[in-house]
Amino acid sequence: MDRVIIFDTTLRDGEQSPGFSMNAMEKLEMARQLARLNVDVIEAGFPISSEEDFEATREVARQVGTLEGAPIICGLSRVGLGDIDRCWEAVRHARRSRIHTFVATSDIHLKYKLRKSRAEVMKAAVEAVRHARGYCEDVEFSPEDASRSDFDYMCDVLSAVIDAGARTINIPDTVGYAIPTEWAERIAHIRERVHGVDKAVLSVHCHNDLGQAVANSLTALMHGARQVECTINGIGERAGNASLEEIVMALRTRRDFFGLETAVKTEEIFKTSRLLSHITGVHVQPNKAVVGENAFAHEAGIHQDGVLKEKLTYEIMKPEDIGRPSNKLVLGKHSGRAALSSRLKELGFDLTGSDLDRAFKTFKDLADRKKEVYDEDLMAIVTDEATQIDTVYDLEYLHVISGTGVIPSATVRLKKDGESYQDSGVGDGPVDAVLAAIEAITGMKGRLQDYSIRAATSGKDALGEVAVKVDFDGTSVSGKGSSTDVIEASARAYLSALNRMLRSGQRPKDAGGV
Ligand code: KIV
Ligand code: ZN
């Protein structure tokens, strides 16, 4: 079996798209999970793009890239030598580091964006790769907008950068313009035309503007590419990048056809997808392949009948292959700590000590309100806890008055450093009133940019999951919270955003409060 290198760019291409930005702590959390998923390369950021991205990339290299068996930590860089220096400064801390440098090769980009001649771009690309090789052996080069580049010119650039020391050449369909059969031909011809191509790994990076990103990636693998660049949930610029879970599960499910394998621990896929939604506050669409809510749901009677008789009739993958809970009834209010710990272990969460204590307390609170606790509920509890470690403010008490013909009001008590603080607020709705009370206590004014709510399971007593995006003085932070009470879930989501803001050390200067 041939091995495919999975290059995850969730933290770089994914993160740079609107609504998906992550701070350093969030990137670290995601990077740890990507390491558990066992991707081969994590592209952690674009260090020159901002101080924050530099620090986030550096922390991923330091804290995840130094773990036993960690993935390669990669940083993106333009071909400017200063950019490359900065990139290396961020990734050098990892056991295995990669510099990924790129420049556009299409005439459209050369003429309108770079205002450079083909010769100038060729020279800059070669110098960049040589400079990067001065720092490390693992250097990747991408000719941006490859699908619209003149084929011969692009191949000349690729031959020259391989000669200069590039060990991976990545062919990006930057604007999602390629069509599978055409892309396959381009990849096959690159293998024939580029000098020294055998010295480098051939990679592809496909965008999804025409909905072809996964198909183009797979077809490239069939024609000799051995690295794919992809993202969790397919997030990325515009319509996104090729989705990691779709590529990996296609290769696994149709091993008979592709004859290729990856090192990805597929049982970690669902958890990784959920963690990303949790961190960014963006849920995947219900019909999303592999990780969507309905991906394993059989609605039509004829399908249900078939599945009950034999799952093979309508299921080509098993939910457990991607670590997806079966959503069967698990625990109730009489279940103990050991039962919770054992079920969580089965779901892939090995909690001990204070982490387990916290999860158990939340579980007990939930079981008191809700008779039946499902696997989906447990996953919501645990991912909530994981994203709410080291809180600054904890919710202790909440009382809301609301109804027709009443001005909504709320009383909130928060705990900080062992002390309790209480205040109240009014608003044009109960959530608004709660946020006003929180603002009165903390002195921090946040503007709700986005708010969404969904039920974690079915049923009237379902756990409600609220995702928010809050603007604190120009800094946008996301948060999530869950509860059977949607107002409480909203308060928890808002507080999780506020805590993230405070922990990242970006407290607005004029904030009063406690
Ligand atoms: O889409 C693209 O061209 C990129 C490159 C930087 C690889 O993201
Ligand atoms: Zn891209």
Side-chain angles (χ1 to χ4, degrees):
M1 276 254 175
D2 255 342
R3 171 85 152 70
V4 174
I5 298 168
I6 298 293
F7 177 114
D8 181 276
T9 183
T10 306
L11 302 181
R12 198 281 295 169
D13 213 326
E15 193 268 348
Q16 76 191 42
S17 57
F20 289 95
S21 64
M22 290 174 237
N23 60 31
M25 218 197 59
E26 292 166 335
K27 276 196 171 189
L28 260 175
E29 225 167 273
M30 240 354 257
R32 287 200 184 96
Q33 180 55 30
L34 290 170
R36 276 180 227 121
L37 182 66
N38 211 28
V39 301
D40 298 289
V41 187
I42 295 178
E43 189 166 48
F46 188 5
I48 196 78
S49 66
S50 71
E51 189 57 34
E52 207 193 348
D53 211 30
F54 171 82
E55 280 168 19
T57 310
R58 189 189 55 197
E59 287 318 301
V60 170
R62 274 189 182 149
Q63 298 190 41
V64 181
T66 48
L67 300 173
E68 187 72 35
I72 295 169
I73 306 299
C74 174
L76 182 70
S77 166
R78 291 172 301 192
V79 286
L81 304 192
D83 284 27
I84 291 170
D85 296 340
R86 192 81 177 134
C87 181
W88 174 245
E89 191 48 43
V91 297
R92 72 185 172 86
H93 309 274
R95 284 173 178 228
R96 296 183 298 155
S97 319
R98 175 180 295 186
I99 297 175
H100 174 193
T101 184
F102 75 100
V103 66
T105 47
S106 71
D107 288 335
I108 302 171
H109 280 234
L110 263 61
K111 181 171 175 198
Y112 297 105
K113 185 180 87 175
L114 300 176
R115 300 205 169 91
K116 283 197 160 69
S117 67
R118 287 184 176 187
E120 284 171 312
V121 164
M122 163 87 90
K123 185 164 173 280
V126 169
E127 275 174 13
V129 169
R130 277 213 189 102
H131 190 67
R133 276 302 304 261
Y135 287 127
C136 63
E137 290 203 347
D138 193 349
V139 174
E140 172 170 332
F141 175 81
S142 294
E144 193 191 6
D145 203 15
S147 47
R148 294 189 300 168
S149 295
D150 175 79
F151 186 74
D152 282 326
Y153 170 64
M154 181 184 74
C155 287
D156 288 345
V157 173
L158 293 176
S159 304
V161 294
I162 291 174
D163 191 46
R167 288 293 163 259
T168 301
I169 51 167
N170 174 50
I171 314 300
D173 182 17
T174 304
V175 289
Y177 182 73
I179 299 298
T181 44
E182 173 202 33
W183 191 237
E185 264 174 41
R186 187 160 270 244
I187 300 301
H189 288 158
I190 286 173
R191 289 183 71 207
E192 288 159 12
R193 164 75 172 70
V194 171
H195 302 298
V197 73
D198 294 337
K199 284 194 258 168
V201 173
L202 184 56
S203 167
V204 284
H205 172 116
C206 302
H207 279 271
N208 205 30
D209 299 66
L210 295 174
Q212 307 298 318
V214 170
N216 282 335
S217 304
L218 292 172
T219 200
L221 291 175
M222 288 168 66
H223 287 82
R226 282 297 173 266
Q227 174 178 287
V228 266
E229 303 200 350
C230 44
T231 59
I232 301 297
N233 296 344
I235 68 169
E237 280 283 347
R238 306 178 308 279
N241 286 64
S243 130
L244 180 147
E245 58 277 8
E246 292 177 25
I247 292 173
V248 168
M249 289 313 287
L251 293 179
R252 181 182 154 136
T253 308
R254 297 306 313 274
R255 204 179 276 139
D256 60 316
F257 180 75
F258 291 105
L260 296 171
E261 65 179 6
T262 73
V264 167
K265 293 194 175 128
T266 60
E267 322 81 68
E268 293 288 328
I269 285 180
F270 190 64
K271 214 197 301 174
T272 316
S273 162
R274 289 297 297 260
L275 180 65
L276 180 65
S277 296
H278 236 81
I279 287 176
T280 59
V282 184
H283 299 295
V284 296
Q285 85 220 38
N287 61 324
K288 165 85 174 65
V290 184
V291 291
E293 207 52 47
N294 298 346
F296 291 88
H298 304 280
E299 187 70 31
I302 198 164
H303 288 204
Q304 288 177 344
D305 179 51
V307 169
L308 285 172
K309 286 176 177 147
E310 169 54 60
K311 283 193 174 152
L312 268 177
T313 49
Y314 287 99
E315 264 184 22
I316 57 164
M317 299 171 266
K318 295 198 283 299
E320 51 273 30
D321 293 344
I322 60 156
R324 196 181 172 116
S326 54
N327 209 19
K328 62 176 185 248
L329 174 65
V330 277
L331 303 169
K333 70 177 185 179
H334 299 298
S335 308
R337 205 167 174 276
L340 175 72
S341 160
S342 138
R343 186 61 196 150
L344 286 175
K345 219 171 257 163
E346 281 164 28
L347 294 174
F349 299 94
D350 198 356
L351 300 194
T352 50
S354 58
D355 291 341
L356 181 58
D357 291 343
R358 266 202 315 273
F360 186 58
K361 185 178 175 314
T362 317
F363 160 72
K364 277 290 185 192
D365 290 346
L366 179 65
D368 275 344
R369 298 184 197 189
K370 195 174 185 284
K371 279 199 287 301
E372 301 164 334
V373 179
Y374 295 89
D375 287 348
E376 282 279 1
D377 295 319
L378 294 182
M379 287 194 78
I381 289 176
V382 177
T383 30
D384 249 18
E385 294 290 336
T387 51
Q388 290 183 25
I389 33 169
D390 300 333
T391 50
V392 180
Y393 290 103
D394 284 313
L395 182 66
E396 258 195 343
Y397 168 85
L398 171 70
H399 182 241
V400 178
I401 300 171
S402 173
T404 36
V406 180
I407 295 179
S409 64
T411 304
V412 174
R413 190 161 68 236
L414 301 180
K415 197 164 190 171
K416 184 189 175 205
D417 301 331
E419 296 272 330
S420 296
Y421 302 88
Q422 183 166 315
D423 218 320
S424 54
V426 291
D428 59 13
V431 173
D432 195 29
V434 168
L435 303 196
I438 293 177
E439 188 190 318
I441 297 171
T442 61
M444 297 199 46
K445 193 166 174 53
R447 194 175 57 81
L448 210 52
Q449 289 177 303
D450 210 353
Y451 176 98
S452 68
I453 184 161
R454 73 191 269 274
T457 52
S458 55
K460 279 190 290 191
D461 62 353
L463 198 64
E465 285 187 326
V466 171
V468 295
K469 188 139 270 169
V470 189
D471 181 325
F472 291 103
D473 215 16
T475 305
S476 182
V477 192
S478 58
K480 271 195 122 189
S482 50
S483 167
T484 47
D485 176 334
V486 294
I487 308 298
E488 184 186 321
S490 308
R492 291 192 182 280
Y494 186 84
L495 275 176
S496 96
L498 191 130
N499 282 327
R500 270 153 196 260
M501 168 81 188
L502 292 172
R503 275 200 314 262
S504 69
Q506 299 178 49
R507 194 169 199 269
K509 289 182 200 65
D510 60 349
V514 290

